[in-house]
């Protein structure tokens, strides 16, 4: 069994408008996932420095970042990052360039954990429905063209307010959605912007939204999670 989670951490700026990376890490520890897709994990301007520094993760966390090597001080690519348990083996990783008018991207890694290999994609899609659909098509095509195929998990902030249309319909032709629940806004969840999707060779055992007091204060999104097993 593998537990995965997705979290738009909003650069560790909470609903109190204070930047507190230690609070973000506390929420991640509460969730306790084996693999975590983060969105808005880097600062927006300048060197795009990671908000959760390697030192902070090493000192207080059970995870290590997947290193994509895109920017020297960033954790991921356009704010998208992946954390894995320290005993996990990262077999391969890459950034996926998405069509967009503003900085957007996705990240992908093949991870061996407890003898199982899964492919994980983290994403943060555009606010525009047209560009979201183009980005979804790019991710789906990229996965289909991959030489090696593995059980696949896609996670992230899709920015899709529709219940069934748009990118949900596009991704739904190839993947199944975990029934996680409403994750935005953290103080009063009204929308399922954050999603976890799996290929048909994976089964979702449980899924949900982590809505602790810390999570309600740490970001404007709540983390979503799912436990998975081979189908």
């Amino acid at each position: 069994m593998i537990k995965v989670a997705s979290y738009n951490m909003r650069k560790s700026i909470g609903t109190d408008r204070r930047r507190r990376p230690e609070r973000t890490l506390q929420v991640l520890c509460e969730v306790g996932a084996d693999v975590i897709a983060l969105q808005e994990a880097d600062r927006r301007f300048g060197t795009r420095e990671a908000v959760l520094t390697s030192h902070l993760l090493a000192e207080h966390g059970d995870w290590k970042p997947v290193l994509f090597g895109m920017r020297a001080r960033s954790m991921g690519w356009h704010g998208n990052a992946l954390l894995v348990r320290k005993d996990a083996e990262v077999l391969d990783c890459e950034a996926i360039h998405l069509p967009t008018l503003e900085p957007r991207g996705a990240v992908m890694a093949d991870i061996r954990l407890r003898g199982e290999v899964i492919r994980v994609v983290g994403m943060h899609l555009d606010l525009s429905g047209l560009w979201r659909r183009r980005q979804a098509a790019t991710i789906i095509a990229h996965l289909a063209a991959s030489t090696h195929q593995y059980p696949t998990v896609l996670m992230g902030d899709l920015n899709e307010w529709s219940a069934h249309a748009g990118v949900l319909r596009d991704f739904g032709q190839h993947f199944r959605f975990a029934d996680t629940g409403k994750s935005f806004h953290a103080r009063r969840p009204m929308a399922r912007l954050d999603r976890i999707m799996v290929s048909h060779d994976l089964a979702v055992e449980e899924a949900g939204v982590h809505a602790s007091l810390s999570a309600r204060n740490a970001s404007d999104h709540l983390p979503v999670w799912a436990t998975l097993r081979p189908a």
Side-chain angles (χ1 to χ4, degrees):
M1 198 85 67
I2 294 175
K3 186 174 185 179
V4 300
S6 180
Y7 189 26
N8 184 330
M9 53 181 277
R10 199 194 184 196
K11 307 174 188 65
S12 287
I13 299 174
T15 51
D16 57 3
R17 299 185 181 180
R18 296 181 180 179
R19 188 191 304 277
R20 295 177 57 190
E22 295 83 359
R23 181 168 55 185
T24 301
L25 194 56
Q26 177 186 344
V27 173
L28 297 181
C29 289
E30 291 174 358
V31 176
D34 300 305
V35 182
I36 304 166
L38 297 174
Q39 301 86 51
E40 299 192 26
D42 297 335
R43 295 175 185 265
R44 185 173 183 180
F45 301 109
T47 59
R48 306 289 179 90
E49 183 179 357
V51 176
L52 297 178
T53 64
S54 297
H55 175 75
L56 185 64
L57 284 170
E59 191 170 276
H60 301 289
D62 296 324
W63 304 274
K64 60 185 178 183
V66 176
L67 301 178
F68 296 93
M70 303 301 291
R71 293 190 177 95
R73 304 181 70 178
S74 295
M75 184 184 291
W77 175 238
H78 289 314
N80 293 283
L82 296 175
L83 299 179
V84 298
R85 290 286 183 187
K86 289 180 178 178
D87 61 348
E89 180 183 1
V90 180
L91 304 177
D92 196 10
C93 65
E94 63 179 303
I96 304 174
H97 297 263
L98 300 181
T100 183
L101 291 176
E102 58 181 359
R104 294 283 177 180
V107 289
M108 184 175 83
D110 298 334
I111 300 161
R112 179 178 284 118
L113 188 66
R114 293 191 288 275
E116 301 287 341
V117 177
I118 62 169
R119 174 164 290 162
V120 180
V121 178
M123 69 189 79
H124 190 182
L125 301 189
D126 207 281
L127 295 173
S128 160
L130 174 62
W131 286 104
R132 277 199 304 274
R133 298 197 70 182
R134 291 175 177 174
Q135 291 162 1
T138 298
I139 292 169
I140 292 167
H142 189 87
L143 290 170
S146 179
T147 302
H148 301 288
Q149 297 292 326
Y150 297 109
T152 300
V153 185
L154 296 86
M155 301 186 282
D157 180 356
L158 304 191
N159 267 319
E160 181 61 73
W161 288 79
S162 168
H164 304 288
V167 296
L168 301 185
R169 180 182 299 152
D170 299 334
F171 280 121
Q173 295 176 18
H174 307 273
F175 303 95
R176 292 182 291 109
F177 287 85
D179 188 13
T180 50
K182 297 176 181 178
S183 58
F184 183 85
H185 185 280
R187 288 288 180 87
R188 184 177 293 181
M190 301 177 62
R192 299 187 180 208
L193 301 187
D194 304 281
R195 297 280 185 162
I196 297 176
M197 303 165 280
V198 301
S199 55
H200 291 277
D201 44 8
L202 286 173
V204 178
E205 286 284 300
E206 292 182 276
V209 175
H210 183 76
S212 68
L213 179 60
S214 296
R216 291 185 184 278
N217 291 326
S219 171
D220 57 350
H221 288 247
L222 296 171
V224 295
W225 59 271
T227 54
L228 312 175
R229 62 170 177 80

